[in-house]
Structures are given as structure tokens and as C-alpha cells.
Coordinates of all heavy atoms in Angstrom, one line a residue:
F268 N -6.1 -7.7 -6.2 CA -5.1 -7.5 -5.2 C -3.7 -7.9 -5.6 O -2.7 -7.3 -5.3 CB -5.5 -8.1 -3.9 CG -4.6 -7.8 -2.7 CD1 -4.7 -6.6 -2.0 CD2 -3.6 -8.6 -2.4 CE1 -3.9 -6.3 -1.0 CE2 -2.7 -8.3 -1.3 CZ -2.9 -7.1 -0.6
A269 N -3.7 -9.0 -6.4 CA -2.4 -9.5 -6.8 C -1.6 -8.5 -7.7 O -0.4 -8.4 -7.5 CB -2.6 -10.8 -7.6
E270 N -2.3 -7.7 -8.5 CA -1.6 -6.7 -9.3 C -1.1 -5.6 -8.4 O 0.1 -5.2 -8.6 CB -2.6 -6.1 -10.3 CG -3.0 -7.0 -11.4 CD -4.0 -6.4 -12.4 OE1 -4.1 -5.2 -12.4 OE2 -4.6 -7.2 -13.1
H271 N -1.9 -5.2 -7.4 CA -1.4 -4.2 -6.4 C -0.2 -4.7 -5.7 O 0.8 -4.0 -5.5 CB -2.5 -3.8 -5.5 CG -2.0 -2.9 -4.4 ND1 -1.8 -1.6 -4.5 CD2 -1.8 -3.2 -3.1 CE1 -1.4 -1.1 -3.4 NE2 -1.4 -2.1 -2.5
Q272 N -0.2 -6.0 -5.2 CA 0.9 -6.6 -4.4 C 2.1 -6.6 -5.3 O 3.2 -6.4 -4.8 CB 0.5 -7.9 -3.9 CG 1.6 -8.6 -3.1 CD 1.9 -7.8 -1.9 OE1 1.1 -7.3 -1.2 NE2 3.2 -7.8 -1.6
A273 N 2.0 -7.0 -6.6 CA 3.2 -7.1 -7.4 C 3.8 -5.7 -7.6 O 5.1 -5.6 -7.5 CB 2.8 -7.6 -8.8
K274 N 3.0 -4.7 -7.8 CA 3.6 -3.3 -7.9 C 4.2 -2.8 -6.6 O 5.3 -2.2 -6.6 CB 2.4 -2.3 -8.3 CG 2.8 -0.9 -8.4 CD 1.6 0.0 -8.7 CE 2.0 1.4 -8.8 NZ 2.0 2.1 -7.5
Y275 N 3.6 -3.2 -5.5 CA 4.1 -2.8 -4.2 C 5.4 -3.5 -3.9 O 6.4 -2.8 -3.4 CB 3.0 -3.3 -3.2 CG 3.1 -2.8 -1.8 CD1 2.8 -1.5 -1.5 CD2 3.4 -3.7 -0.7 CE1 2.8 -1.0 -0.2 CE2 3.4 -3.2 0.6 CZ 3.1 -1.9 0.8 OH 3.1 -1.4 2.1
A276 N 5.6 -4.7 -4.3 CA 6.8 -5.5 -4.1 C 7.9 -4.9 -5.0 O 9.1 -4.8 -4.6 CB 6.6 -7.0 -4.4
K277 N 7.5 -4.5 -6.2 CA 8.5 -3.9 -7.1 C 9.0 -2.6 -6.6 O 10.2 -2.2 -6.9 CB 7.8 -3.6 -8.5 CG 8.7 -3.7 -9.7 CD 7.9 -3.5 -10.9 CE 8.2 -4.6 -11.9 NZ 7.6 -4.4 -13.2
E278 N 8.2 -1.9 -5.8 CA 8.7 -0.6 -5.1 C 9.6 -0.9 -4.0 O 10.1 0.1 -3.4 CB 7.4 0.2 -4.7 CG 6.6 0.7 -5.8 CD 5.3 1.3 -5.3 OE1 5.0 1.2 -4.1 OE2 4.5 1.8 -6.2
G279 N 9.8 -2.1 -3.6 CA 10.8 -2.5 -2.6 C 10.2 -2.9 -1.3 O 10.9 -3.3 -0.3
W280 N 8.8 -3.0 -1.2 CA 8.2 -3.4 0.1 C 8.4 -4.9 0.3 O 8.3 -5.7 -0.6 CB 6.7 -3.0 0.1 CG 6.5 -1.6 0.1 CD1 6.3 -0.7 -0.9 CD2 6.5 -0.8 1.3 NE1 6.2 0.6 -0.4 CE2 6.3 0.6 0.9 CE3 6.7 -1.0 2.7 CZ2 6.3 1.6 1.8 CZ3 6.7 0.0 3.6 CH2 6.4 1.3 3.1
Q281 N 8.7 -5.2 1.6 CA 8.9 -6.6 2.0 C 8.0 -6.9 3.1 O 7.9 -6.2 4.1 CB 10.3 -6.9 2.3 CG 11.3 -6.5 1.2 CD 12.8 -6.6 1.7 OE1 13.0 -6.7 2.9 NE2 13.7 -6.4 0.8
I282 N 7.3 -8.1 3.1 CA 6.5 -8.5 4.2 C 7.4 -8.9 5.4 O 8.2 -9.8 5.2 CB 5.5 -9.6 3.8 CG1 4.6 -9.1 2.7 CG2 4.7 -10.1 5.0 CD1 3.7 -10.2 2.0
Q283 N 7.2 -8.3 6.5 CA 8.0 -8.7 7.7 C 7.2 -9.6 8.7 O 7.8 -10.5 9.2 CB 8.3 -7.4 8.5 CG 9.2 -6.5 7.7 CD 10.6 -7.0 7.5 OE1 11.3 -7.3 8.5 NE2 11.0 -7.2 6.3
H284 N 5.9 -9.4 8.9 CA 5.1 -10.2 9.8 C 3.7 -10.3 9.2 O 3.2 -9.4 8.6 CB 5.0 -9.5 11.1 CG 6.3 -9.2 11.8 ND1 7.0 -10.2 12.5 CD2 7.0 -8.1 11.9 CE1 8.1 -9.6 13.0 NE2 8.1 -8.4 12.6
I285 N 3.0 -11.5 9.4 CA 1.6 -11.7 9.0 C 0.9 -12.3 10.2 O 1.4 -13.2 10.8 CB 1.5 -12.6 7.8 CG1 2.2 -12.0 6.5 CG2 0.1 -13.0 7.5 CD1 2.3 -12.9 5.3
E286 N -0.3 -11.8 10.5 CA -1.1 -12.3 11.6 C -0.3 -12.5 12.8 O -0.2 -13.5 13.4 CB -1.9 -13.5 11.2 CG -2.9 -13.3 10.1 CD -3.7 -14.5 9.8 OE1 -3.7 -15.5 10.5 OE2 -4.5 -14.4 8.8
F287 N 0.4 -11.4 13.2 CA 1.4 -11.4 14.3 C 0.7 -10.9 15.5 O 0.3 -9.8 15.6 CB 2.5 -10.5 13.8 CG 3.8 -10.7 14.6 CD1 4.5 -11.9 14.6 CD2 4.3 -9.6 15.4 CE1 5.6 -12.0 15.4 CE2 5.4 -9.8 16.1 CZ 6.1 -11.0 16.1
S288 N 0.7 -11.8 16.6 CA 0.1 -11.4 17.8 C 1.2 -11.1 18.8 O 2.2 -11.9 19.0 CB -0.7 -12.6 18.4 OG -1.9 -12.8 17.6
V289 N 1.1 -10.0 19.4 CA 2.1 -9.5 20.4 C 1.5 -8.9 21.6 O 0.4 -8.3 21.5 CB 3.1 -8.5 19.8 CG1 4.0 -9.1 18.8 CG2 2.4 -7.3 19.2
S290 N 2.0 -9.2 22.8 CA 1.5 -8.7 24.0 C 2.0 -7.3 24.2 O 2.9 -6.8 23.5 CB 1.9 -9.5 25.2 OG 3.3 -9.4 25.4
R291 N 1.4 -6.5 25.1 CA 1.8 -5.2 25.3 C 3.3 -5.1 25.8 O 4.1 -4.2 25.5 CB 0.9 -4.5 26.4 CG 1.1 -3.0 26.6 CD 0.1 -2.5 27.6 NE -1.2 -2.6 27.1 CZ -1.9 -1.6 26.5 NH1 -1.2 -0.5 26.2 NH2 -3.1 -1.7 26.1
D292 N 3.7 -6.2 26.6 CA 5.1 -6.2 27.1 C 6.1 -6.6 26.0 O 7.3 -6.3 26.1 CB 5.2 -7.3 28.2 CG 4.4 -6.9 29.4 OD1 4.1 -5.7 29.7 OD2 3.9 -7.9 30.1
N293 N 5.6 -7.2 24.9 CA 6.6 -7.6 23.8 C 6.2 -7.0 22.5 O 6.2 -7.7 21.5 CB 6.6 -9.2 23.7 CG 7.1 -9.8 25.0 OD1 8.1 -9.4 25.5 ND2 6.5 -10.8 25.4
G294 N 5.8 -5.7 22.5 CA 5.4 -5.1 21.3 C 6.5 -5.0 20.2 O 7.7 -5.1 20.5
V295 N 6.0 -4.9 19.0 CA 7.0 -4.7 17.9 C 7.5 -3.3 17.9 O 6.7 -2.4 17.9 CB 6.3 -5.0 16.5 CG1 7.2 -4.7 15.4 CG2 5.8 -6.4 16.4
L296 N 8.8 -3.1 18.0 CA 9.3 -1.8 18.1 C 9.7 -1.3 16.7 O 10.5 -1.9 16.0 CB 10.6 -1.8 18.9 CG 10.4 -2.0 20.4 CD1 11.7 -2.0 21.2 CD2 9.5 -0.9 21.0
L297 N 9.1 -0.2 16.3 CA 9.4 0.4 15.0 C 10.2 1.7 15.2 O 9.8 2.6 15.9 CB 8.1 0.8 14.3 CG 7.1 -0.3 14.0 CD1 5.8 0.2 13.3 CD2 7.7 -1.5 13.2
P298 N 11.4 1.7 14.6 CA 12.3 2.9 14.8 C 11.7 4.1 14.1 O 11.3 4.0 12.9 CB 13.6 2.5 14.2 CG 13.3 1.4 13.3 CD 12.1 0.7 13.8
L299 N 11.6 5.2 14.8 CA 11.1 6.5 14.2 C 12.2 7.5 13.9 O 11.9 8.5 13.3 CB 10.1 7.1 15.2 CG 8.9 6.2 15.5 CD1 8.1 7.0 16.6 CD2 8.1 5.9 14.3
G300 N 13.4 7.1 14.2 CA 14.5 8.1 14.0 C 14.8 8.8 15.3 O 14.1 8.8 16.2
D301 N 16.0 9.4 15.3 CA 16.4 10.2 16.5 C 16.3 9.3 17.8 O 15.9 9.8 18.8 CB 15.7 11.5 16.7 CG 15.9 12.4 15.6 OD1 17.0 12.4 15.0 OD2 15.0 13.2 15.2
E302 N 16.6 8.0 17.7 CA 16.6 7.1 18.8 C 15.2 6.9 19.4 O 15.1 6.6 20.6 CB 17.7 7.4 19.8 CG 19.1 7.3 19.2 CD 20.2 7.6 20.2 OE1 20.0 7.4 21.4 OE2 21.3 8.1 19.8
K303 N 14.2 7.2 18.7 CA 12.8 7.1 19.2 C 12.2 5.8 18.5 O 12.5 5.5 17.4 CB 12.0 8.3 18.9 CG 12.4 9.5 19.6 CD 11.6 10.7 19.2 CE 12.1 12.0 19.8 NZ 11.3 13.2 19.4
F304 N 11.3 5.2 19.3 CA 10.6 4.0 18.8 C 9.2 4.0 19.1 O 8.8 4.7 20.1 CB 11.2 2.7 19.4 CG 12.7 2.5 19.0 CD1 13.7 3.1 19.7 CD2 13.0 1.6 18.0 CE1 15.0 2.9 19.4 CE2 14.3 1.4 17.6 CZ 15.3 2.0 18.3
M305 N 8.4 3.3 18.3 CA 6.9 3.2 18.6 C 6.7 1.7 18.8 O 7.1 0.9 18.0 CB 6.1 3.7 17.4 CG 4.6 3.5 17.7 SD 3.6 4.3 16.4 CE 4.0 3.3 15.0
S306 N 5.9 1.3 19.8 CA 5.6 0.0 20.1 C 4.2 -0.3 19.6 O 3.3 0.4 19.9 CB 5.7 -0.3 21.6 OG 5.2 -1.6 21.9
I307 N 4.0 -1.4 18.8 CA 2.7 -1.9 18.4 C 2.4 -3.2 19.0 O 3.3 -4.1 19.0 CB 2.7 -2.0 16.8 CG1 3.0 -0.6 16.2 CG2 1.4 -2.6 16.3 CD1 3.0 -0.7 14.7
H308 N 1.2 -3.3 19.5 CA 0.9 -4.6 20.2 C -0.6 -4.9 19.8 O -1.3 -4.1 19.2 CB 1.0 -4.5 21.7 CG 0.3 -3.4 22.3 ND1 -1.0 -3.5 22.7 CD2 0.6 -2.1 22.5 CE1 -1.4 -2.3 23.1 NE2 -0.4 -1.5 23.1
G309 N -0.9 -6.2 20.0 CA -2.3 -6.7 19.6 C -2.1 -7.7 18.5 O -1.0 -8.2 18.3
R310 N -3.2 -8.0 17.8 CA -3.1 -8.8 16.6 C -2.9 -8.0 15.4 O -3.9 -7.2 15.0 CB -4.3 -9.7 16.5 CG -4.1 -10.8 15.4 CD -5.4 -11.7 15.3 NE -5.6 -12.1 13.9 CZ -6.2 -11.3 13.0 NH1 -6.6 -10.2 13.2 NH2 -6.3 -11.8 11.7
I311 N -1.8 -8.0 14.8 CA -1.5 -7.2 13.7 C -1.6 -8.0 12.4 O -0.9 -9.1 12.3 CB 0.0 -6.6 13.8 CG1 0.1 -5.8 15.1 CG2 0.3 -5.7 12.6 CD1 1.5 -5.5 15.6
D312 N -2.4 -7.6 11.5 CA -2.7 -8.4 10.3 C -1.4 -8.5 9.4 O -1.1 -9.6 8.9 CB -3.8 -7.8 9.4 CG -5.1 -7.9 10.1 OD1 -5.3 -8.9 10.8 OD2 -5.9 -7.0 9.9
R313 N -0.7 -7.4 9.2 CA 0.5 -7.5 8.4 C 1.4 -6.2 8.6 O 0.9 -5.1 8.8 CB 0.1 -7.5 6.9 CG 1.2 -7.6 5.9 CD 0.7 -7.9 4.6 NE 1.5 -7.2 3.5 CZ 1.2 -7.3 2.2 NH1 0.2 -8.0 1.8 NH2 2.0 -6.7 1.4
I314 N 2.7 -6.5 8.7 CA 3.7 -5.4 8.8 C 4.7 -5.5 7.6 O 5.3 -6.6 7.5 CB 4.4 -5.4 10.1 CG1 3.4 -5.2 11.3 CG2 5.5 -4.3 10.2 CD1 4.1 -5.4 12.6
D315 N 4.8 -4.5 6.8 CA 5.8 -4.5 5.7 C 6.9 -3.4 6.0 O 6.7 -2.5 6.7 CB 5.1 -4.1 4.4 CG 4.0 -5.1 4.0 OD1 4.0 -6.2 4.6 OD2 3.3 -4.8 3.0
F316 N 8.0 -3.6 5.4 CA 9.1 -2.7 5.5 C 9.7 -2.5 4.1 O 9.8 -3.4 3.3 CB 10.2 -3.3 6.4 CG 11.4 -2.4 6.6 CD1 11.3 -1.2 7.2 CD2 12.6 -2.8 6.1 CE1 12.4 -0.3 7.4 CE2 13.8 -2.0 6.3 CZ 13.6 -0.7 6.9
N317 N 10.1 -1.2 3.9 CA 10.8 -0.9 2.6 C 12.2 -0.4 2.9 O 12.4 0.7 3.5 CB 10.0 0.3 1.9 CG 10.5 0.5 0.5 OD1 11.7 0.6 0.3 ND2 9.6 0.7 -0.4
P318 N 13.2 -1.2 2.7 CA 14.6 -0.9 3.0 C 15.1 0.4 2.3 O 15.9 1.1 2.8 CB 15.4 -2.1 2.6 CG 14.5 -3.2 2.2 CD 13.1 -2.6 2.1
G319 N 14.5 0.6 1.1 CA 15.0 1.8 0.3 C 14.5 3.1 0.9 O 15.3 4.1 0.9
T320 N 13.3 3.1 1.5 CA 12.8 4.3 2.1 C 12.9 4.3 3.6 O 12.6 5.3 4.3 CB 11.3 4.5 1.7 OG1 10.6 3.5 2.2 CG2 11.2 4.7 0.2
Q321 N 13.2 3.1 4.2 CA 13.3 2.9 5.6 C 11.9 3.2 6.3 O 11.8 3.7 7.4 CB 14.4 3.8 6.3 CG 15.8 3.5 5.9 CD 16.2 2.1 6.4 OE1 16.3 1.9 7.6 NE2 16.5 1.2 5.5
K322 N 10.8 2.9 5.6 CA 9.5 3.1 6.1 C 8.8 1.8 6.3 O 9.1 0.8 5.7 CB 8.7 3.9 5.1 CG 9.1 5.4 5.1 CD 8.2 6.2 4.2 CE 8.7 7.6 4.2 NZ 7.8 8.5 3.3
Y323 N 7.8 1.8 7.3 CA 7.0 0.6 7.6 C 5.6 0.9 7.1 O 5.2 2.1 7.1 CB 7.0 0.4 9.1 CG 8.3 -0.2 9.6 CD1 9.3 0.6 10.1 CD2 8.4 -1.6 9.7 CE1 10.5 0.0 10.6 CE2 9.6 -2.2 10.2 CZ 10.6 -1.3 10.6 OH 11.7 -1.9 11.1
A324 N 4.8 -0.1 6.8 CA 3.4 0.0 6.6 C 2.7 -1.1 7.4 O 3.1 -2.3 7.4 CB 3.1 -0.3 5.1
V325 N 1.8 -0.7 8.2 CA 1.0 -1.6 9.1 C -0.4 -1.7 8.5 O -1.1 -0.8 8.3 CB 1.0 -1.0 10.5 CG1 0.2 -1.9 11.4 CG2 2.4 -0.8 11.1
W326 N -0.8 -3.0 8.2 CA -2.0 -3.3 7.6 C -3.0 -3.8 8.6 O -2.7 -4.7 9.4 CB -1.8 -4.4 6.5 CG -0.9 -4.0 5.4 CD1 0.4 -3.8 5.4 CD2 -1.4 -3.7 4.0 NE1 0.9 -3.5 4.1 CE2 -0.2 -3.4 3.3 CE3 -2.6 -3.7 3.4 CZ2 -0.2 -3.1 2.0 CZ3 -2.6 -3.3 2.1 CH2 -1.5 -3.0 1.3
D327 N -4.2 -3.3 8.5 CA -5.3 -3.8 9.4 C -6.5 -4.1 8.4 O -7.2 -3.2 8.0 CB -5.7 -2.8 10.4 CG -6.8 -3.2 11.3 OD1 -6.9 -4.5 11.6 OD2 -7.5 -2.4 11.8
Y328 N -6.6 -5.4 8.0 CA -7.6 -5.8 7.1 C -9.0 -5.8 7.8 O -9.1 -6.2 8.9 CB -7.4 -7.2 6.5 CG -6.1 -7.2 5.7 CD1 -5.1 -8.1 6.2 CD2 -5.9 -6.5 4.6 CE1 -3.9 -8.2 5.4 CE2 -4.7 -6.6 3.9 CZ -3.7 -7.5 4.3 OH -2.5 -7.6 3.6
K329 N -10.0 -5.4 7.1 CA -11.4 -5.4 7.5 C -12.2 -6.2 6.5 O -12.2 -6.0 5.3 CB -12.0 -4.0 7.7 CG -11.3 -3.1 8.7 CD -11.4 -3.7 10.1 CE -10.7 -2.9 11.1 NZ -10.2 -3.6 12.2
T330 N -13.0 -7.2 7.0 CA -13.9 -7.9 6.2 C -15.2 -8.0 6.9 O -15.4 -7.8 8.1 CB -13.4 -9.4 6.0 OG1 -13.3 -10.0 7.2 CG2 -12.0 -9.4 5.3
G331 N -16.2 -8.3 6.1 CA -17.6 -8.5 6.6 C -18.6 -7.8 5.7 O -18.3 -7.1 4.8
D332 N -19.9 -8.1 6.1 CA -21.0 -7.5 5.3 C -21.4 -6.2 5.8 O -22.0 -5.4 5.0 CB -22.2 -8.5 5.3 CG -21.8 -9.8 4.7 OD1 -21.0 -9.8 3.7 OD2 -22.4 -10.8 5.1
R333 N -21.2 -5.9 7.0 CA -21.6 -4.6 7.6 C -20.5 -3.8 8.1 O -19.5 -4.4 8.5 CB -22.6 -4.8 8.7 CG -23.9 -5.5 8.2 CD -24.9 -5.6 9.3 NE -24.3 -6.1 10.6 CZ -25.0 -6.1 11.7 NH1 -26.2 -5.6 11.8 NH2 -24.4 -6.6 12.8
T334 N -20.6 -2.5 8.1 CA -19.5 -1.7 8.7 C -20.1 -0.8 9.8 O -21.4 -0.5 9.8 CB -18.8 -0.8 7.7 OG1 -19.8 0.1 7.1 CG2 -18.2 -1.6 6.6
T335 N -19.3 -0.3 10.7 CA -19.7 0.7 11.6 C -18.7 1.8 11.6 O -17.6 1.6 11.2 CB -19.8 0.1 13.1 OG1 -18.5 -0.4 13.4 CG2 -20.8 -1.0 13.2
K336 N -19.1 3.0 12.0 CA -18.2 4.1 12.1 C -17.2 3.9 13.2 O -17.6 3.4 14.3 CB -19.0 5.4 12.3 CG -19.8 5.8 11.1 CD -20.5 7.1 11.3 CE -21.3 7.5 10.1 NZ -21.8 8.9 10.2
P337 N -16.0 4.3 12.9 CA -14.9 4.1 14.0 C -15.2 5.0 15.2 O -15.8 6.0 15.0 CB -13.6 4.5 13.3 CG -14.0 5.1 12.0 CD -15.4 4.8 11.7

């Protein structure tokens, strides 16, 4: 993962939030352009931002021995 993270950072990605808990009333607002926003709430594992592309990446890590279909 460290190699991937180094490449990702070289591309301009910056970690904005880690294990960030937000209520529905205080969601993280992500600008979508044209004065539109998307609110994200709950426990968010990680949110990154790339200033060069003006894009966000929202990470939801999954760990465990078993998986279930979404």
C-alpha cells in the first residue's frame, strides 16, 4: 500500500479527513460545480482532494475474514 500511496501523492492527492464522523445535519459538502454540492455523512474512512484536478476521492475500507454481497 505504501508504494500506491506514494504514487497517489505524487499525482497531487492530499488527505483531507481520516476516520471522520459527521452527522446528517453537518455533512461534508463536496462541490460538484455549477453551484451544486453533495453532502456526505456517517463515518467516512478517508477523504482525499486533488487540487490539480479539483476532484475528491472518498475511501471506504473493508476488512475481515468474510464478505457478503452488497
Side-chain angles (χ1 to χ4, degrees):
F268 186 81
E270 288 179 20
H271 172 74
Q272 180 61 40
K274 179 180 178 278
Y275 196 67
K277 210 177 230 188
E278 293 172 355
W280 290 98
Q281 301 170 354
I282 298 171
Q283 297 290 300
H284 303 280
I285 296 175
E286 294 184 11
F287 194 64
S288 293
V289 292
S290 68
R291 190 178 294 267
D292 295 334
N293 296 317
V295 173
L296 292 178
L297 302 180
L299 302 176
D301 296 329
E302 298 182 26
K303 295 180 184 177
F304 294 85
M305 178 174 67
S306 175
I307 296 178
H308 55 86
R310 189 180 146 276
I311 303 164
D312 292 326
R313 179 170 147 181
I314 300 174
D315 296 352
F316 179 66
N317 187 317
T320 63
Q321 295 291 299
K322 291 185 179 181
Y323 286 89
V325 179
W326 296 73
D327 183 29
Y328 299 117
K329 298 295 180 208
T330 60
D332 296 331
R333 297 186 312 170
T334 61
T335 58
K336 292 185 178 183

